[in-house]
Amino acid sequence: MLPEALVDTLRSARHVCVLTGAGVSAESGVPTFREAQEGLWANYDPMQLATPEGFASDPKLVWEWYRWRREQVVNVEPNPAHIGLAQLQDLVPTLTLVTQNVDNLHQRAGSRDVIEFHGNILVDRCFVEGCVIETPLRGDIPLCPGCGAPVRPGVVWFGEAIPEEALNLSFAAASDCDVFLSIGTSSLVYPAAGLVDIARQNKAVTVEVNPDPTRTGFDFVLENKAGTAIPELVNSLSP
Ligand code: BV8
């Protein structure tokens, strides 16, 4: 049962800013970032693989990891959490969805104008020019057809800057929103994890949805799976 005060707050919200993490895709069968290492990948640390240094030192291994993860995400479906967030976008005046996830599931569920804070695993980019590579990739370490440099997945690695537009749009939304929903994230990775602090500084009501709540200081904590809590939120707002 949702707190009545939270439902009232959402009903009167002008701008809801949502930050999602790997927990939103967990119920689709995509392992969360920290549990993602299973099977042959159990011996590798994602914090090493998801870095420019990791790619530079062994591009073939890093490509194998991303191809394995791509295979995962294209073979799963959006879950009720993704679908509920897409529905929520039509139930509040303005909803800004910022995702740390790179799996494209929010878009497949129908969410519009998704801000991909850490990029998208299904996009390929030239390592040197940064441009998107549309042509089919060939070989263990695909090369840019334009300049011959290695091609890389279009994600943001540790130690890399967040794409400027994504950063600016997300900071602006966190500063303007009157409700900030943090869903399915361990709140460990910055600057994404700092968005809630910006929202709080601007007097937004903050809400965490996580079966394993991570941080004190949220106004509301829904200690539940996103696939259950988000549809409940949507039902409480539906006419
Ligand atoms: C930056 C894309 C600066 C790649 C990802 C040293 C050197 C350099 C930087 C740093 C450094 N030390 C610290 C930093 C900053 C660093 C950082 O924050 N590190 C952390 C680990 C301390 N950040 C960066 O490097 C960022 N860039 O700082 O740049 C800069 C500035 C200018 C110029 C140059 C540089 C970039 C970070 C982006 C990294 N890329 N992903 C890929 O995917 O391969 S991050 C990756 O991990 C994910 O995208 C995600 O963001 C993160 C994992 O977090 P979560 O999504 O929260 O997932 P997690 O598994 O942790 O938690 C899941 C949660 O779900 C849990 O709480 C669980 O309870 C919950 N859950 C489970 N089931 C459910 C559920 N919730 C709801 N429902 C359920 N059913």
Side-chain angles (χ1 to χ4, degrees):
M1 192 63 184
L2 295 174
E4 197 53 40
L6 172 57
V7 176
D8 291 343
T9 300
L10 282 168
R11 280 205 184 109
S12 59
R14 173 187 47 86
H15 181 181
V16 176
C17 183
V18 180
L19 173 69
T20 62
V24 161
S25 297
E27 292 162 86
S28 292
V30 180
T32 61
F33 201 78
R34 279 158 182 70
E35 70 190 14
Q37 299 312 99
E38 62 197 42
L40 69 100
W41 295 107
N43 305 324
Y44 295 94
D45 175 3
M47 297 293 290
Q48 297 306 317
L49 294 175
T51 62
E53 298 77 16
F55 183 78
S57 69
D58 194 340
K60 184 170 176 292
L61 175 70
V62 173
W63 260 115
E64 279 170 16
W65 185 51
Y66 277 96
R67 282 180 166 136
W68 173 68
R69 289 176 62 201
R70 273 182 181 174
E71 194 61 26
Q72 279 185 332
V73 300
V74 297
N75 288 315
V76 297
E77 295 301 321
N79 69 59
H82 297 108
I83 294 161
L85 286 169
Q87 293 166 336
L88 192 61
Q89 197 159 24
D90 295 326
L91 291 170
V92 297
T94 302
L95 184 142
T96 303
L97 175 55
V98 183
T99 188
Q100 300 173 89
N101 300 336
V102 296
D103 56 30
N104 210 47
L105 288 174
H106 284 302
Q107 293 91 325
R108 287 177 55 195
S111 285
R112 302 180 302 277
D113 307 322
V114 177
I115 299 173
E116 296 180 313
F117 209 69
H118 292 156
N120 188 316
I121 200 168
L122 302 180
V123 171
D124 300 314
R125 289 189 183 280
C126 171
F127 195 89
V128 170
E129 300 162 305
C131 55
V132 173
I133 306 293
E134 304 287 1
T135 51
L137 300 182
R138 274 192 296 280
D140 292 344
I141 308 168
L143 301 179
C144 171
C147 73
V151 172
R152 56 167 290 171
V155 298
V156 180
W157 281 329
F158 288 99
E160 292 189 316
I162 304 303
E164 193 174 353
E165 186 183 21
L167 194 69
N168 294 338
L169 289 172
S170 303
F171 276 35
S175 306
D176 178 68
C177 69
D178 34 28
V179 179
F180 187 93
L181 294 179
S182 177
I183 310 172
T185 178
S186 59
S187 303
L188 293 174
V189 176
Y190 285 82
L195 291 172
V196 66
D197 301 319
I198 296 171
R200 192 174 287 124
Q201 283 157 18
N202 288 283
K203 308 284 183 270
V205 172
T206 59
V207 186
E208 178 170 47
V209 178
N210 195 323
D212 179 15
T214 56
R215 289 183 45 186
T216 56
F218 284 93
D219 299 305
F220 295 94
V221 176
L222 303 183
E223 200 163 337
N224 207 338
K225 291 185 174 183
T228 305
I230 302 307
E232 270 187 335
L233 278 178
V234 170
N235 293 337
S236 70
L237 296 178
S238 302

